[in-house]
């Protein structure tokens, strides 16, 4: 069973701080990794995709991938209350041709 | 990013009726779409993979005769909940797989529709 692990949280950070969200995965052969944001009652929204080791930046978001450690993270700089949501880590299972999702980390950005 | 629509966004029906939900990729072609279900405060649960022109692949424990999936074109997949009962009340979300060459890179990304909230009375 291929697994994606996330801390369920809630992760509470003050406004303006950096939020760090972490994810580990079990399938060493995985090549594609994604972060989705899901607000309560809404569907997931793609924030970042990353395929190569290292960092990938997009605005206030940075995804970090370390395939040797089977670890992917998402950093949110200058966190805003509107960033409060559940963040889902997803890993593409090439064998089954589908995404495996973590259970999500709930982020709370406090004023 | 690519856009996926779902219709209807919300439906209330009586027990025993069938409900059809449509999922469309608006600005790309999707040979593969996925159907998920999510109960309140729970994780996404993949129900089935919908492949254009062929039968859907259902996850273990999902009744294929109850949840009928049709993927008749490269931009449309439908999920029909047959003989719906109150326990089928949930948030149903589709996603579409966008597989494209962007410059020198091949990207394979799933985009989600806005979801359909089904309430069965």
């Amino acid at each position: 069973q291929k697994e994606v692990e996330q801390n369920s949280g809630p992760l509470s950070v003050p406004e303006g701080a950096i939020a760090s969200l972490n994810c580990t995965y079990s399938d060493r052969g995985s090549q594609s990794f994604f972060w989705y944001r899901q607000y309560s009652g809404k569907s997931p929204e793609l924030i970042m995709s990353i395929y190569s080791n290292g960092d990938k930046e997009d605005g206030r978001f940075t995804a970090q991938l370390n395939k040797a450690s089977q670890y992917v993270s998402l950093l949110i700089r200058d966190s805003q209350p509107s960033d409060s949501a559940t963040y889902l880590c997803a890993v593409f299972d090439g064998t089954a041709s589908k995404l495996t999702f973590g259970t999500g980390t709930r982020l709370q950005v406090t004023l | 990013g690519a856009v996926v629509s779902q219709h209807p966004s919300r439906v209330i029906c009586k027990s025993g009726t069938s409900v059809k939900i449509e999922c469309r990729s608006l600005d790309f072609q999707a040979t593969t779409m996925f159907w998920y279900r999510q109960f309140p405060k729970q994780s996404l649960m993949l129900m089935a993979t919908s492949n254009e022109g062929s039968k859907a692949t259902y996850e273990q424990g999902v009744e294929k005769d109850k949840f009928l999936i049709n993927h008749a074109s490269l931009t449309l997949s439908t999920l029909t909940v047959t003989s719906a009962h109150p326990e089928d009340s949930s948030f149903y979300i589709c996603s579409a797989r966008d597989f494209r060459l962007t410059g020198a890179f091949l990207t394979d990304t799933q985009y989600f529709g806005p979801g359909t909230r089904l309430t069965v009375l």
Side-chain angles (χ1 to χ4, degrees):
Chain A
Q1 179 85 10
K2 294 172 183 174
E3 295 181 343
V4 177
E5 301 279 347
Q6 291 182 259
N7 188 318
S8 61
L11 172 65
S12 185
V13 299
E15 184 178 7
I18 296 175
S20 177
L21 303 160
N22 305 313
C23 171
T24 58
Y25 58 94
S26 64
D27 183 8
R28 186 169 287 279
S30 297
Q31 298 294 324
S32 305
F33 308 86
F34 306 88
W35 283 99
Y36 290 86
R37 176 176 63 196
Q38 186 175 24
Y39 291 112
S40 180
K42 302 294 185 183
S43 68
E45 172 192 9
L46 180 68
I47 298 176
M48 294 282 285
S49 59
I50 186 166
Y51 305 95
S52 306
N53 278 328
D55 294 0
K56 178 182 177 183
E57 187 174 318
D58 184 0
R60 296 187 294 114
F61 300 99
T62 299
Q64 299 175 318
L65 175 61
N66 184 326
K67 291 183 181 180
S69 301
Q70 295 174 235
Y71 174 94
V72 58
S73 65
L74 179 70
L75 300 178
I76 306 175
R77 288 181 299 281
D78 188 24
S79 295
Q80 302 296 310
S82 59
D83 295 326
S84 298
T86 296
Y87 289 80
L88 301 169
C89 173
V91 178
F92 187 69
D93 178 347
T95 303
S97 293
K98 62 182 181 182
L99 286 176
T100 300
F101 283 90
T103 53
T105 298
R106 189 157 66 90
L107 172 66
Q108 291 179 338
V109 180
T110 57
L111 294 172
Chain B
V3 180
V4 177
S5 70
Q6 257 184 267
H7 179 79
S9 58
R10 186 179 295 267
V11 59
I12 300 173
C13 68
K14 293 181 179 179
S15 187
T17 59
S18 294
V19 175
K20 181 186 280 189
I21 302 169
E22 292 186 349
C23 177
R24 294 181 186 273
S25 56
L26 297 186
D27 52 358
F28 65 102
Q29 293 183 330
T31 55
T32 304
M33 293 184 177
F34 301 88
W35 287 96
Y36 295 83
R37 182 167 57 180
Q38 189 174 37
F39 293 106
K41 299 193 186 302
Q42 292 190 21
S43 304
L44 284 172
M45 188 197 83
L46 179 65
M47 299 175 66
T49 301
S50 169
N51 297 299
E52 187 267 335
S54 65
K55 290 183 178 180
T57 303
Y58 290 83
E59 295 298 301
Q60 195 171 10
V62 178
E63 299 175 59
K64 62 181 180 181
D65 294 330
K66 180 167 182 64
F67 299 100
L68 301 178
I69 291 172
N70 185 275
H71 193 154
S73 79
L74 289 172
T75 59
L76 174 64
S77 175
T78 60
L79 168 69
T80 301
V81 183
T82 62
S83 186
H85 287 92
E87 58 266 30
D88 298 322
S89 298
S90 188
F91 190 40
Y92 291 85
I93 314 171
C94 74
S95 69
R97 190 174 175 189
D98 183 16
F99 195 63
R100 69 174 69 188
L101 191 63
T102 306
F105 295 98
L106 197 59
T107 59
D108 184 357
T109 310
Q110 264 188 55
Y111 295 94
F112 284 86
T116 297
R117 194 162 302 281
L118 171 64
T119 303
V120 185
L121 302 176

